C-alpha cells in the first residue's frame, strides 16, 4: 500500500514542480518588472502549458493493439512487430515512446513525434530465440518538449510468437549416401513401391492422386486409396539427444536439417526427442509432417536426464524403422555399444556435434564404422554461422 502511495506521489511531482516554476517566474516578473523578466515568463508559458497538458493527459485511456504478421519465423530472423495506438484526445505530444515491456530480445524504445493525431502506428524488429514466446505488455511514454514531464502507461496486448529452429539445405548426394551405409544396407526403395493393388482404404492427406481407387471411391461415395501387396517399411526416425549440452541449439538445427532432407526425398520421417520429456512423432509422408517436426523442435527443452543409450534400448515405437539418424553432442562407450547392436537390423547414421574428439571417441567411431554405422563429427561453429534455408518451406 505504501509503495502505491509513493508511486502516485512521484507521478504528481513533475506537475508540482511546474506549478512552482510558473509561480516563481510570475513572481519574478511582477516584482522585478521590465522587459527581461516578462520576456522570460511569456517565453516559458507555452512550454509550461504544453507540459501541463501532457501531465494531465489521460494516457491510460488509450487503446493498444499489437500484431505480428502470420508467417513462419526462424531463430535469428527479424520479426516485425506492429503496434496500433488510439489516443483519447488529439493533443500535440512532443514524443510518444513505444516499447516492449519486460523483454530483452529487442523491442527497443522508439520515440516519435505525432502532433495532433489520435490514430498512430509503428513497427519495430524483435529478435527472439527458438521457442514459443508470449508477448504480454506494451509500454507507452508521453513527454513534453523539454522532458519535464514523462507519463508512462502499460497496456496488456498479448501475442504468441513461435520461433522455429534454423535448418540447412542438405545436399541430395549426402542423403543418398545414408541409404548406402551399413551391413543392413540393401536396395531399399525409399519411395513407395508401386505393386499390384490388393485392396482399398480411406484417403488420408499426403496420399498421391495416382493411388486413388476410383471404383472403390464411387461405391463408397468417399475418396479411397489403393493398398498394395508389397509395401516395405521405408520409415526413418531422427533421434535428438536432449541432454544438457553447450551446443544444444546446434543439435536442434542439425535435427531439423536432416529431417528436411529426408522429407524432400520423399521418405516418411518421424522424430524421437529425448529431452526433459521423451516424445515421439510417428513417421508420416504427408506435407504437414514438416510443420509438425518444426513445431516439436521449436518447443523442445534441454535437460534430459536419461542417457541416450537407455532411450534407444527402451524405445519400442520405431523398432521396425528402416533407418535412424542420431544427433548428439557426446559419443560414449555405452552409446557406441547400443548402436553396434542396432546396426545389423537397420541403417544407422550418427552425427556428433563437438569441437574435438579424444582418443577414446576416435576408437569408438572407428568400431562403429566397421559395424556399418555412418559416423561424422560436425564442428558447432559450422552450424552457428549458417542461415536458415528454404525460405518459408
Amino acid at each position: 500500500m505504501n509503495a502505491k502511495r509513493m508511486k502516485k506521489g512521484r507521478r504528481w511531482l513533475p506537475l508540482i514542480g511546474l506549478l512552482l516554476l510558473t509561480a516563481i517566474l510570475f513572481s519574478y516578473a511582477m516584482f522585478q518588472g521590465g522587459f527581461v523578466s516578462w520576456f522570460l515568463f511569456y517565453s516559458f508559458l507555452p512550454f509550461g502549458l504544453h507540459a501541463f497538458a501532457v501531465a494531465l493527459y489521460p494516457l491510460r485511456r488509450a487503446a493498444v493493439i499489437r500484431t505480428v504478421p502470420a508467417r513462419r519465423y526462424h531463430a535469428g530472423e527479424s520479426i516485425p512487430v506492429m503496434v496500433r495506438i488510439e489516443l483519447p484526445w488529439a493533443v500535440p505530444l512532443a514524443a510518444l515512446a513505444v516499447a516492449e515491456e519486460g523483454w530483452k530480445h529487442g523491442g527497443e524504445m522508439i520515440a516519435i513525434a505525432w502532433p495532433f493525431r489520435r490514430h498512430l502506428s509503428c513497427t519495430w524488429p524483435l529478435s527472439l530465440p527458438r521457442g514459443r514466446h508470449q508477448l504480454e505488455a506494451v509500454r507507452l511514454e508521453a513527454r513534453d518538449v523539454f522532458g519535464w514531464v514523462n507519463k508512462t502507461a502499460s497496456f496488456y496486448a498479448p501475442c504468441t510468437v513461435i520461433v522455429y529452429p534454423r535448418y540447412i539445405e542438405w545436399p541430395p548426394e549426402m542423403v543418398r549416401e545414408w541409404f548406402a551405409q551399413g551391413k543392413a544396407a540393401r536396395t531399399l526403395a525409399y519411395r513407395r513401391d508401386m505393386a499390384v493393388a490388393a485392396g482399398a482404404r480411406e484417403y488420408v492427406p499426403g496420399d498421391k492422386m495416382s493411388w486413388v481407387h476410383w471404383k472403390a471411391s464411387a461405391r463408397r461415395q468417399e475418396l479411397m486409396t489403393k493398398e498394395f501387396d508389397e509395401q516395405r517399411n521405408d520409415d526413418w526416425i531422427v533421434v535428438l539427444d536432449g541432454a544438457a549440452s553447450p551446443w544444444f541449439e546446434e543439435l536442434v538445427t542439425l535435427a531439423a536439417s536432416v529431417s528436411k532432407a529426408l522429407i524432400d526425398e520423399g521418405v516418411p520421417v518421424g522424430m524421437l526427442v529425448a529431452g526433459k520429456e521423451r516424445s515421439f512423432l510417428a513417421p508420416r509422408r504427408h506435407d504437414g509432417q514438416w510443420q509438425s517436426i518444426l513445431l516439436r523442435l521449436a518447443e523442445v527443452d534441454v535437460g534430459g536426464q536419461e542417457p541416450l543409450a537407455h532411450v534407444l534400448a527402451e524405445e519400442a515405437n520405431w523398432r521396425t524403422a528402416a533407418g535412424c539418424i542420431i544427433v548428439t553432442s557426446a559419443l560414449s562407450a555405452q552409446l557406441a555399444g547400443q548402436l553396434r547392436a542396432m546396426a545389423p537390423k537397420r541403417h544407422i547414421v550418427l552425427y556428433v556435434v563437438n569441437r574435438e574428439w579424444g582418443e577414446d571417441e576416435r576408437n569408438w567411431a572407428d568400431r562403429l564404422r566397421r559395424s556399418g554405422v555412418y559416423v561424422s563429427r560436425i564442428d558447432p561453429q559450422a552450424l552457428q554461422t549458417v542461415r536458415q534455408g528454404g525460405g518459408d518451406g
Side-chain angles (χ1 to χ4, degrees):
M1 192 70 178
N2 291 334
K4 287 184 178 179
R5 288 179 179 175
M6 290 178 64
K7 189 175 180 180
K8 193 173 182 179
R10 291 195 198 99
R11 193 183 303 164
W12 289 101
L13 280 177
L15 188 60
I16 295 171
L18 280 172
L19 289 172
L20 287 175
L21 183 58
T22 305
I24 290 171
L25 288 174
F26 180 74
S27 300
Y28 175 72
M30 288 291 293
F31 288 103
Q32 180 69 23
F35 172 79
V36 175
S37 58
W38 283 108
F39 177 79
L40 288 174
F41 175 73
Y42 285 117
S43 298
F44 164 79
L45 199 57
F47 300 104
L49 291 175
H50 181 260
F52 277 119
V54 174
L56 298 174
Y57 190 75
L59 189 61
R60 294 187 178 276
R61 288 171 53 189
V64 176
I65 299 175
R66 184 233 315 274
T67 57
V68 175
R71 58 174 292 261
R72 186 183 294 166
Y73 298 101
H74 294 267
E77 283 188 333
S78 180
I79 303 173
V81 178
M82 176 177 287
V83 174
R84 293 183 176 87
I85 306 164
E86 183 179 349
L87 297 173
W89 300 336
V91 300
L93 299 174
L96 185 67
V98 187
E100 197 72 56
E101 188 168 69
W103 204 257
K104 299 179 181 179
H105 300 283
E108 296 294 334
M109 188 170 287
I110 305 165
I112 305 175
W114 283 306
F116 295 104
R117 290 180 59 186
R118 286 190 60 204
H119 299 278
L120 320 170
S121 65
C122 65
T123 302
W124 65 73
L126 197 61
S127 179
L128 300 175
R130 177 190 60 83
R132 183 188 293 270
H133 305 279
Q134 182 67 33
L135 307 180
E136 298 288 350
V138 174
R139 187 176 73 253
L140 301 184
E141 183 178 343
R143 63 186 67 166
D144 65 305
V145 177
F146 293 110
W148 292 331
V149 175
N150 289 333
K151 196 158 190 177
T152 305
S154 295
F155 299 87
Y156 182 62
C159 182
T160 301
V161 180
I162 299 177
V163 180
Y164 298 102
R166 297 171 301 158
Y167 65 91
I168 309 167
E169 293 291 352
W170 215 267
E173 304 78 36
M174 187 170 292
V175 178
R176 293 183 175 89
E177 191 176 339
W178 297 337
F179 295 94
Q181 287 293 322
K183 292 181 179 179
R186 56 196 178 278
T187 307
L188 178 67
Y190 55 91
R191 297 186 186 276
R192 186 169 295 275
D193 186 9
M194 302 300 294
V196 178
R201 58 173 173 80
E202 292 183 2
Y203 176 86
V204 295
D207 288 345
K208 295 181 180 179
M209 292 305 295
S210 59
W211 302 345
V212 174
H213 198 305
W214 296 109
K215 291 183 179 180
S217 301
R219 288 195 302 267
R220 295 281 300 272
Q221 297 297 312
E222 60 178 331
L223 210 56
M224 304 293 290
T225 303
K226 296 176 183 176
E227 284 190 316
F228 304 102
D229 280 330
E230 295 183 8
Q231 290 188 0
R232 286 174 293 184
N233 190 344
D234 51 0
D235 298 343
W236 277 63
I237 306 295
V238 177
V239 182
L240 173 62
D241 185 3
S245 169
W247 303 298
F248 183 70
E249 293 304 318
E250 286 72 29
L251 292 179
V252 174
T253 296
L254 183 56
S257 302
V258 295
S259 300
K260 184 66 164 61
L262 289 170
I263 289 174
D264 288 345
E265 291 297 319
V267 180
V269 181
M271 178 158 288
L272 173 62
V273 178
K276 279 187 177 181
E277 298 180 1
R278 190 191 305 183
S279 64
F280 178 74
L281 185 65
R284 293 288 186 274
R285 191 188 298 272
H286 59 75
D287 296 337
Q289 184 71 350
W290 174 229
Q291 179 67 24
S292 300
I293 289 175
L294 277 181
L295 184 60
R296 188 66 58 94
L297 291 176
E299 298 178 338
V300 63
D301 289 326
V302 66
Q305 301 296 324
E306 194 175 7
L308 183 58
H310 289 172
V311 175
L312 295 175
E314 295 174 2
E315 189 62 39
N317 286 319
W318 56 280
R319 291 297 174 87
T320 59
C324 66
I325 299 179
I326 297 164
V327 178
T328 183
S329 62
L331 178 58
S332 63
Q334 192 177 17
L335 178 59
Q338 179 61 35
L339 295 181
R340 284 201 304 273
M342 295 165 53
K345 302 176 183 179
R346 60 184 58 85
H347 299 267
I348 302 291
V349 177
L350 174 65
Y351 283 110
V352 182
V353 178
N354 209 315
R355 292 198 182 280
E356 57 184 15
W357 274 355
E359 190 63 30
D360 290 339
E361 286 82 0
R362 293 192 188 93
N363 291 334
W364 295 330
D366 290 339
R367 293 173 189 169
L368 285 173
R369 292 188 182 102
R370 288 195 293 270
S371 300
V373 178
Y374 180 99
V375 183
S376 178
R377 183 185 68 84
I378 298 180
D379 193 306
Q381 187 65 32
L383 296 170
Q384 291 170 354
T385 56
V386 300
R387 292 186 177 273
Q388 152 266 336
D392 289 343

